[in-house]
Amino acid sequence: MPLDTIYLTRHGHRLSWTIDFLTGTYSSQFPTPTGNPADPALTSHGVCQSHELAEHIAGPQFHPKPFRVYSSPFYRCLQTIQPTVEELKRISAESGKSQENGQIGSIDQHAELDVRVENGLGEWFGATDFFDHPAHPTLEIMSTLFPTLLTEASQTYKPLLIPSRRGETITQLHNRVAIALEGIIADIDAEISALEAELPPDQRTSKSVLICAHAAPLIAMGRVLTGRMPDDSSEEDFNVFTAGMSTFKRRGASSTASAGQSVGHAEGSSGRPLAEGTAFIRASGSPPQWRNGHGVAGGWDCVANGDCSFLSGGAERGWHFDGEEAFNTGPMALPSEPTAIAAATKL
């Protein structure tokens, strides 16, 4: 059976950064592990959240447990899922054949828990016409910082695409995420098909993937999976609390939400569907038709929206779009001129 469950989680509470809107210069109050000012570590509270997330996912009643794990390339995302991945690996190594594959709480015998770093899931930076946003951390750097997550085996994974350093509009972010999710789902479906080709139907188990990313991309993922894009992008439809978790289940052929609806254009508005400078590594440059209820890969239903019941602090640091985060004042803008960006950096 193909991939049927997607878990989306946001990184835990992190340290912050600032940007000088006139120059496009990023800075951080504290040194960052990668040297990138827009790539801070978690706060102590965020670390606590990461361990509570791990306890929840590794718990005996959490099912199906992740079969594959993907992450944005930023430090805070890998740091958030580190306790989860390490605990799942420990359970898998210790359980061996003591658990029947497919039973509640078990880890699939074909699970590969080394993290796949996908740049297409990376942070959203607003469009700019006069400077480059900080580059994504490289896999070489991150593998030295997270050796238990990024082994030699996981480093063979090639990302689907890399976002433009000139940032994106809200529409372009949604389309970028749609391409990434379409590719991830297709990859996993193909792997499952190959693994289960020789298995009888009663031995084919439910499969899930865990994805850790950031507030804006996660909201976009919820919309891309369900195919439901609100007329107002600032609508608070998908919850993205720090270390919270949303669960999506794949629709059956009879419940496809696109039935009776026309599929809209991928870009959803005039202009470039993807930001200029987006680099395509394995993906094509054309976004899938996900709008109007269609959803990527046949569409998904959200069955848990930003669950934080397992976090001692409950739901914290919610976020929603508040218009375009555009940096179009230009490097010579006068201090008295208002900038085009109204929202603070995403926490």
Side-chain angles (χ1 to χ4, degrees), residues 215-244:
L218 286 170
I219 293 174
M221 287 182 216
R223 293 170 176 175
V224 162
L225 288 169
T226 61
R228 300 186 179 96
M229 181 69 186
D231 293 333
D232 181 357
S233 63
S234 64
E235 180 179 313
E236 297 185 45
D237 46 0
F238 292 100
N239 298 325
V240 286
F241 304 109
T242 49

Side-chain angles (χ1 to χ4, degrees), residues 54 57-60 65 84-96 98-99 105-107 113:
I57 295 175
K65 284 186 165 41
T84 296
V85 172
E86 290 178 347
E87 181 62 9
L88 291 176
K89 285 186 173 184
R90 184 193 68 78
I91 295 172
S92 180
E94 291 185 358
S95 64
S98 64
Q99 290 183 322
S106 70
I107 296 175
L113 298 171

